[in-house]
Amino acid sequence: MDDDRLVAVVTGANRGIGKAITQQLLLQSSKPLIVYLTARVVDRGQRAFDELRREQLRAGSNALRQNNELRFHQLDVSDEQSIRTFIDYLTLVHGNHSIDVLVNNAGGVVRQNDHIVRTCDADTAAQCVQMNYFTAVNMTTWAVPHMRRHGRVVFLVTALAHLGIFSGDLPRVLTSDELTLAGLHIIENGFVSSVGKGTYAAYGFPPMPYAVAKAGLIAYARMMARITASDPRGLLFASVCPGYVKTDMTGPYAPLTPDQGAETPVYVALTDSKRLLRHNGGLWKHLKPMKW
């Protein structure tokens, strides 16, 4: 507990952008870090850990001299008991305030027979909202009481989740300073319900479950920055669009590599900048704040 290194946690870190974020955190030399690579499936997480550890050794002096350390822990963000077990472990090893950086990367799209489901039906909407919105909110809810001074929470989102995809009152409600977590849950659950009834358009929703779920996270980051504004720890919340990155989800034709997609999340997670504080709760892309 007397270790003065920062503690960073990356969810869903065994592949894609999450793995690239973990690698860049591990190999940076600006701040000494303990980086937790977490994954739902132990074998996949351990394989990614072994690969990144070898990469650190190959990189040589800077990362090793900085005393950066990679650790692996199983974490299924869809399982509350798994989250509690992980938080309890961090508390045991690092003390009650044990997290400096949380990168909420875990999530994805609904698949059937190894193909992405692109239809907007009730089951797809429910699964997508659960895996991309509720899991990240639940993980953050458990983590925030254990964040250290100047702790940062980063949510991986998509530019597809811009306010322009919504109509009616939804853009105003999603950006309102009166929005509560209960209200945001109602919006996300309301989308799922309206898809099942075929009335989603009448309520201002697009037929885009993934984007609606990620828009919920953008609104959540804004809300958390607002409601923790008086917290003496000075917490920072941010949503980050990594860009159109080549992953298992997007396919081989996306123009950006996972390493390129990881640059802005890592920047927001570690950079000491007054600009970050001025945009607490904001949306970022290409190392810059962007309008939602």
Side-chain angles (χ1 to χ4, degrees):
M1 294 185 190
D2 58 351
D3 196 322
D4 61 357
R5 290 175 291 179
L6 302 183
V7 174
V9 174
V10 185
T11 68
N14 61 286
R15 63 181 182 177
I17 298 173
K19 185 179 178 183
I21 291 170
T22 304
Q23 181 182 40
Q24 290 186 25
L25 290 172
L26 181 65
L27 298 184
Q28 59 80 39
S29 58
S30 63
K31 296 180 179 181
L33 284 178
I34 298 172
V35 185
Y36 280 92
L37 183 162
T38 71
R40 179 174 57 87
V41 180
V42 171
D43 289 348
R44 295 173 185 171
Q46 188 63 55
R47 191 179 308 122
F49 171 87
D50 293 340
E51 291 171 0
L52 293 186
R53 178 58 180 152
R54 286 194 295 269
E55 182 64 29
Q56 183 188 24
L57 292 173
R58 281 196 297 268
S61 59
N62 282 344
L64 293 172
R65 184 170 61 244
Q66 189 70 1
N67 201 25
N68 294 339
E69 180 183 351
L70 182 65
R71 299 181 183 179
F72 169 68
H73 200 286
Q74 191 275 341
L75 174 62
D76 181 352
V77 293
S78 67
D79 181 351
E80 187 158 313
Q81 184 55 54
S82 179
I83 296 174
R84 293 180 62 178
T85 298
F86 179 55
I87 294 295
D88 287 345
Y89 172 82
L90 292 179
T91 301
L92 178 66
V93 174
H94 302 289
N96 189 50
H97 291 96
S98 52
I99 305 171
D100 294 283
V101 174
L102 169 63
V103 180
N104 284 294
N105 169 73
V109 292
V110 179
R111 293 178 180 271
Q112 190 173 50
N113 299 324
D114 207 33
H115 294 287
I116 296 175
V117 177
R118 302 190 184 277
T119 56
C120 183
D121 56 71
D123 186 57
T124 300
Q127 290 185 61
C128 207
V129 167
Q130 177 62 34
M131 75 169 73
N132 290 289
Y133 169 74
F134 282 107
T135 55
V137 169
N138 198 30
M139 179 68 205
T140 302
T141 299
W142 278 97
V144 163
H146 302 280
M147 300 295 295
R148 293 173 174 171
R149 184 173 174 82
H150 303 307
R152 299 183 183 186
V153 181
V154 179
F155 301 92
L156 270 290
V157 297
T158 172
L160 294 174
H162 60 86
L163 282 177
I165 66 174
F166 300 98
S167 60
D169 288 335
L170 278 176
R172 176 185 59 80
V173 174
L174 286 168
T175 56
S176 170
D177 286 343
E178 304 300 319
L179 182 63
T180 64
L181 183 57
L184 191 49
H185 284 357
I186 289 172
I187 291 172
E188 293 292 325
N189 284 322
F191 167 68
V192 174
S193 176
S194 67
V195 169
K197 297 174 182 177
T199 58
Y200 59 87
Y203 289 99
F205 293 108
M208 303 165 64
Y210 182 75
V212 171
K214 292 297 188 178
L217 290 185
I218 297 172
Y220 179 65
R222 291 167 56 95
M223 185 192 73
M224 288 300 293
R226 171 170 49 84
I227 66 177
T228 62
S230 61
D231 191 310
R233 291 175 294 172
L235 303 180
L236 184 143
F237 298 83
S239 303
V240 176
C241 172
Y244 192 27
V245 175
K246 201 182 274 95
T247 65
D248 291 345
M249 187 173 73
T250 59
Y253 302 110
L256 301 179
T257 66
D259 284 341
Q260 291 171 314
E263 289 176 0
T264 302
V266 171
Y267 171 83
V268 172
L270 291 183
T271 301
D272 294 321
S273 168
K274 292 181 180 179
R275 184 172 65 159
L276 284 171
L277 296 177
R278 288 198 304 269
H279 293 278
N280 194 1
L283 176 61
W284 291 76
K285 186 178 181 180
H286 300 320
L287 307 179
K288 298 178 182 178
M290 64 179 290
K291 184 177 180 180
W292 185 19

